[in-house]
Amino acid sequence: MKVVALVSGGKDSCFTMMRCIDYGHEIVALANLLPLDDSVDELDSYMYQTVGHQLVVSYAECMGLPLFRRRIRGSTRHQDLSYKVTPGDEVEDMFILLNEVKRQIPSVAAVSSGAIASDYQRLRVESVCARLGLVSLAYLWKQDQTFLLEEMIQRGIIAITIKVAAMGLNPSRHLGKELSHLQPYLLQMKELYGINVCGEGGEYETLTLDCPLFTNARIVLDKFHVILHSPDSIAPVGVLHPLAFHLEHKSSISSLSSSNANIYDGLEKLDHIYEVQGDGLQSCLVKCQPMSLAGNSDMANKSSLCISTFERDTFSVGCWSQSSSKSSEGLWEDLTTVLRRIESQLSKDGFDWANVLYIHLYISDMKQFALANEVYVRFITEKKCHLGVPSRSTVELPLHQARLGNAYVEVLVANDQSKRVLHVQSISCWAPSCIGPYSQATLHKEVLYMAGQLGLDPPTMTLCAGGAVAEMEKALENSEAVANCFNSSISSSAIIFVIYCSASLSSSEKIKLQSIIDHFLRERASNPQKESLLIESNPIFLYVLSPGLPKGALVEVKPVLYVPENREDEDNLILPPTVCTEIPNYWGFEYSNIRDLCCQIYTIRGKACTALISITKEIAASICFEADQSIESFQCYGSEIHMKSIAKLCIYLLDGILVEKNFSWREIIHLRLYFAWELSVTADVLSHIFSEILNEFRELTGRIDMNKEPIFSIIPVLGSGRSASMEDIVTCELFATKS
């Protein structure tokens, strides 16, 4: 991509440009924001470094690139973490500046910035980029600062300190010093006082005088004086004010201005400088077509709902269409119908998209993924989700074969708005970006719902080479990077992993995937350099076979984590495996005899319970044999009488798990029934069977509250199960939490 680089004069913005070139991008322009008054060194700004701005004018000559500059007219008016367009805010100066760059250089597609740890700055750059249709590149984001500093020095960045404001840093001794000389001292200050060695906490700021990108000339600072802003005895604050400089051309040493010339004389001698003027708020917002909540009654009649419950603080709503068209128009119509129906249901019960935590987007053809996204963004936008857009996973399922149309959507809804969202749209080396209205992860009431993670190389956003094993390793690394942002780890805090596998995988590749996951989690849990954040856990694994995944991936990982607010009693959270012998027997089943054969359970005491019930062909045969002793083929298990027997076993086991772990049916967040589409039964028939058996069980026990709609989701798959063989006929996934 062609990139305009935001430059402040500091080391970070320069090193980000070097990283952009490393990953194949081309820097075509520079952009800088500076104070209205040239004599002012530093503004009271949360966004911009302006100390040393007097020398940034030379970057155009040093790099042979056009430099667009704008004087900052705005101030900090919108101080919330997530930025909303605010007239008169300093962010609007960046918008006007970059908008002019885009106007003059239409080929510009991306913006680079030197953000390392500041969400405040990153989110504002991302906001401006989204409004202008540009990609944000932040290759230093979340990188280890010790390694970054070492790499900057090793790769030839010559930068001096121009501001110090931290314990252990003294203006008289440390201003104007090169980073290479200060590096050992900065590392020592990190050990003593915990400072950020790259200055991300405001400890110091730098000015780059030379680097490999300065192909034409280097900057020589001839004269300066130190201004002491705060003589604090513990952490004095001082800045270096430049008085004179000149350029030394690298091909033939010459100077732009004499060593005793005024620093501002250089501006008139450069012909690559563009002063960007203009006031007022310009609008480049992407506008979405408003969607009517009322919708079309005929379209609504073509959709069906399932709702876990509306009587608790978190619940699920699923919706699918009943269309038979396989065309792109069919997907557009079906997904529009489904999202409108969900939106209408949410509105009816006093909710909206801001209440949604997570979205499962199932489509019938992954080749129409771009079209599905186009429909998706007409409903779910950042404007509608002021606390952050929900996380999402997207997979292809055999919907048509199960007569579920082209689109099936499940949303997880909270009746409060206390969620915490991680939404990083910048391309970086940290984890894959979310280009669009979905987030990497959403935390709500101590449960972290993570978006589906592919084996993408974060800086290039391409699938890593090496096949399924390499993709799985990278997907797990990406998941760990996201978990770390919540002071957590997938090796110690995961409740369940759902692993979507492409149908193109061989049996041996599937087995390798399972061993890779086990090895990855054991290695992270035993790493002495990484403090365990909960305790070593034993999460549940659910494997699902899919016809296709986004970007042609071979695997997609979707972890759910428990992230406790209070870690003092965390050792008592996870219950050891127990068997309850007091659960009554129904329909001839005895819980203690079949629990371990079919069930995998993971419970966090008094908090959450997740479980899988795995009905294999062998188990199905054993319970169906009495009903029909002529069973010989897999297809026979799809007969109504056999499916009723399987449904009875599933519901009996689900109830036993809830009773054993002291949960109720009312506390279920979601209940998914994955079934092999090769069964000679449609989703509608299977849904009817399970609803009928649930009603029968309710009459037997009185423990189930039934809605008008089903309380479970029916998910057609190519295969599913607790192991990578994925040979279950039916797999039940249960997740329940205490209010």
Side-chain angles (χ1 to χ4, degrees):
M1 290 186 288
K2 295 187 183 299
V3 179
V4 53
L6 288 171
V7 292
S8 63
K11 66 187 187 322
D12 300 339
S13 56
C14 287
F15 193 57
T16 298
M17 287 192 286
M18 295 174 65
R19 282 277 180 90
C20 286
I21 293 170
D22 291 342
Y23 292 113
H25 304 299
E26 179 186 359
I27 309 296
V28 297
L30 309 174
N32 171 247
L33 290 129
L34 69 157
L36 279 171
D37 187 344
D38 281 332
S39 65
V40 172
D41 290 296
E42 186 174 36
L43 296 177
D44 184 17
S45 170
Y46 293 168
M47 272 297 295
Y48 309 120
Q49 171 189 319
T50 57
V51 180
H53 67 84
Q54 298 91 345
L55 274 69
V56 176
V57 69
S58 301
Y59 280 28
E61 178 73 10
C62 290
M63 296 182 66
L65 292 174
L67 171 64
F68 292 80
R69 306 189 86 187
R70 175 175 172 81
R71 297 190 182 274
I72 302 167
R73 293 168 171 82
S75 58
T76 305
R77 297 194 176 186
H78 190 281
Q79 298 184 14
D80 292 347
L81 185 60
S82 294
Y83 179 71
K84 293 182 180 179
V85 178
T86 304
D89 192 276
E90 60 186 353
V91 174
E92 298 309 311
D93 288 298
M94 185 198 302
F95 175 85
I96 295 170
L97 174 65
L98 294 178
N99 190 39
E100 179 63 18
V101 175
K102 186 179 179 183
R103 187 187 71 81
Q104 292 202 35
I105 311 177
S107 60
V108 165
V111 176
S112 73
S113 63
I116 297 177
S118 172
D119 282 306
Y120 184 93
Q121 293 174 345
R122 173 186 60 80
L123 287 167
R124 278 154 174 74
V125 174
E126 290 177 354
S127 173
V128 170
C129 287
R131 292 161 64 188
L132 293 171
L134 299 170
V135 176
S136 171
L137 303 177
Y139 286 121
L140 308 190
W141 179 249
K142 291 292 185 184
Q143 299 296 288
D144 182 276
Q145 293 186 41
T146 300
F147 292 136
L148 271 182
L149 183 61
E150 174 66 21
E151 189 175 2
M152 289 177 190
I153 294 170
Q154 290 298 322
R155 292 191 62 178
I157 287 184
I158 308 299
I160 61 171
T161 52
I162 55 170
K163 178 184 176 180
V164 294
M167 183 180 298
L169 294 177
N170 189 292
S172 63
R173 294 202 306 270
H174 299 123
L175 279 175
K177 303 298 182 183
E178 285 192 18
L179 275 182
S180 57
H181 297 152
L182 277 180
Q183 183 187 20
Y185 185 72
L186 292 172
L187 293 174
Q188 183 182 356
M189 292 302 98
K190 176 190 174 184
E191 295 300 319
L192 289 175
Y193 307 123
I195 73 166
N196 296 282
V197 295
C198 279
E200 268 298 284
E203 292 89 345
Y204 68 91
E205 293 177 1
T206 60
L207 178 67
T208 300
L209 301 179
D210 194 11
C211 75
L213 299 179
F214 289 11
T215 55
N216 295 335
R218 64 178 62 89
I219 302 170
V220 178
L221 183 60
D222 299 310
K223 188 177 180 182
F224 63 87
H225 71 253
V226 171
I227 300 174
L228 189 62
H229 278 312
S230 170
D232 188 274
S233 60
I234 298 176
V237 178
V239 300
L240 182 153
H241 178 75
L243 296 175
F245 77 99
H246 71 276
L247 297 186
E248 289 184 350
H249 286 261
K250 294 184 176 180
S251 56
S252 59
I253 303 299
S254 62
S255 64
L256 180 67
S257 57
S258 64
S259 60
N260 59 358
N262 187 287
I263 190 171
Y264 310 114
D265 291 344
L267 183 58
E268 289 75 21
K269 298 187 179 183
L270 292 174
D271 57 3
H272 298 306
I273 309 298
Y274 299 88
E275 290 286 345
V276 177
Q277 306 295 328
D279 295 299
L281 181 65
Q282 303 178 46
S283 176
C284 281
L285 293 171
V286 177
K287 300 184 185 300
C288 297
Q289 296 295 324
M291 307 302 292
S292 169
L293 286 179
N296 183 293
S297 59
D298 291 336
M299 294 176 73
N301 290 333
K302 295 179 182 178
S303 62
S304 301
L305 282 177
C306 57
I307 302 172
S308 60
T309 178
F310 277 123
E311 298 178 2
R312 53 163 294 117
D313 59 5
T314 312
F315 58 91
S316 299
V317 179
C319 186
W320 59 91
S321 71
Q322 297 169 345
S323 165
S324 59
S325 172
K326 297 183 180 180
S327 66
S328 59
E329 291 81 6
L331 173 63
W332 181 281
E333 179 179 332
D334 287 358
L335 187 52
T336 299
T337 298
V338 166
L339 290 172
R340 180 179 288 132
R341 179 77 186 276
I342 291 174
E343 191 172 63
S344 179
Q345 185 67 48
L346 292 174
S347 178
K348 175 183 174 183
D349 292 280
F351 305 112
D352 56 32
W353 293 110
N355 294 90
V356 175
L357 307 174
Y358 200 95
I359 296 179
H360 287 89
L361 175 61
Y362 306 125
I363 56 178
S364 60
D365 185 358
M366 194 54 69
K367 293 177 182 177
Q368 298 181 7
F369 178 70
L371 179 62
N373 268 338
E374 188 177 341
V375 178
Y376 185 90
V377 299
R378 289 172 171 259
F379 289 86
I380 297 96
T381 65
E382 292 187 58
K383 185 176 181 180
K384 293 180 181 179
C385 305
H386 64 280
L387 294 176
V389 288
S391 304
R392 191 184 84 180
S393 64
T394 305
V395 297
E396 179 182 333
L397 293 179
L399 299 178
H400 275 295
Q401 295 89 327
R403 300 181 187 176
L404 292 176
N406 296 280
Y408 187 158
V409 175
E410 284 185 282
V411 298
L412 182 64
V413 187
N415 64 10
D416 61 19
Q417 295 189 4
S418 62
K419 66 181 181 181
R420 174 187 161 198
V421 170
L422 176 66
H423 184 203
V424 179
Q425 294 173 280
S426 299
I427 294 178
S428 68
C429 299
W430 161 72
S433 64
C434 286
I435 309 293
Y438 60 95
S439 61
Q440 280 93 349
T442 301
L443 178 65
H444 180 258
K445 293 190 180 298
E446 301 184 316
V447 180
L448 182 66
Y449 305 94
M450 197 178 297
Q453 293 292 327
L454 303 177
L456 293 171
D457 178 44
T460 63
M461 290 298 289
T462 58
L463 289 170
C464 60
V469 169
E471 285 187 30
M472 173 59 82
E473 289 177 337
K474 181 58 69 174
L476 292 170
E477 289 175 6
N478 294 337
S479 299
E480 180 71 0
V482 174
N484 290 166
C485 291
F486 294 86
N487 193 31
S488 188
S489 169
I490 61 172
S491 64
S492 58
S493 302
I495 300 172
I496 182 171
F497 288 92
V498 180
I499 299 103
Y500 299 106
C501 300
S502 169
S504 63
L505 292 177
S506 65
S507 298
S508 61
E509 286 177 314
K510 295 174 190 175
I511 294 172
K512 286 181 181 177
L513 290 182
Q514 192 165 346
S515 64
I516 286 294
I517 296 172
D518 292 340
H519 175 73
F520 184 93
L521 297 180
R522 284 198 308 269
E523 185 180 59
R524 291 303 188 278
S526 60
N527 185 353
Q529 302 299 322
K530 193 172 188 65
E531 181 182 357
S532 179
L533 299 171
L534 186 57
I535 64 174
E536 185 174 355
S537 62
N538 186 27
I540 288 175
F541 295 93
L542 168 61
Y543 294 84
V544 175
L545 195 61
S546 165
L549 299 172
K551 292 182 174 287
L554 298 173
V555 65
E556 179 176 344
V557 178
K558 187 193 71 175
V560 178
L561 280 62
Y562 179 70
V563 183
E565 293 177 359
N566 184 357
R567 299 182 181 273
E568 293 180 359
D569 300 322
E570 60 190 28
D571 291 343
N572 298 319
L573 288 174
I574 299 178
L575 287 171
T578 57
V579 176
C580 178
T581 57
E582 299 179 359
I583 296 173
N585 300 332
Y586 295 102
W587 296 316
F589 299 126
E590 186 172 337
Y591 184 71
S592 60
N593 290 341
I594 55 179
R595 174 193 186 274
D596 293 337
L597 183 65
C598 302
C599 302
Q600 187 180 3
I601 309 169
Y602 185 53
T603 305
I604 297 176
R605 178 178 286 119
K607 299 286 186 176
C609 175
T610 187
L612 286 187
I613 296 174
S614 179
I615 307 299
T616 62
K617 296 176 185 179
E618 292 76 14
I619 294 171
S622 66
I623 64 173
C624 295
F625 185 74
E626 293 183 3
D628 184 356
Q629 299 186 10
S630 65
I631 292 178
E632 294 180 357
S633 67
F634 173 69
Q635 284 75 16
C636 290
Y637 297 135
S639 67
E640 188 168 338
I641 187 171
H642 297 151
M643 289 311 302
K644 283 186 176 180
S645 298
I646 292 172
K648 287 180 178 180
L649 175 61
C650 291
I651 291 167
Y652 174 70
L653 287 172
L654 287 168
D655 184 71
I657 292 168
L658 292 169
V659 171
E660 175 190 349
K661 301 303 180 183
N662 194 30
F663 283 80
S664 69
W665 286 84
R666 189 186 297 270
E667 292 169 322
I668 293 176
I669 286 182
H670 69 245
L671 174 57
R672 298 191 186 100
L673 309 178
Y674 300 87
F675 76 100
W677 71 272
E678 291 180 333
L679 290 170
S680 54
V681 60
T682 65
D684 283 344
V685 171
L686 192 60
S687 179
H688 175 76
I689 289 172
F690 269 87
S691 294
E692 180 182 327
I693 301 304
L694 275 169
N695 269 314
E696 183 178 333
F697 194 74
R698 177 180 59 83
E699 293 175 358
L700 284 172
T701 66
R703 287 202 294 272
I704 303 177
D705 296 325
M706 299 293 290
N707 298 327
K708 179 181 178 182
E709 294 83 6
I711 63 172
F712 51 83
S713 302
I714 296 286
I715 312 293
V717 294
L718 298 183
S720 63
R722 290 188 288 172
S723 70
S725 61
M726 293 175 278
E727 295 179 346
D728 286 5
I729 294 174
V730 174
T731 308
C732 300
E733 178 194 357
L734 166 74
F735 186 49
T737 64
K738 295 290 185 181
S739 300

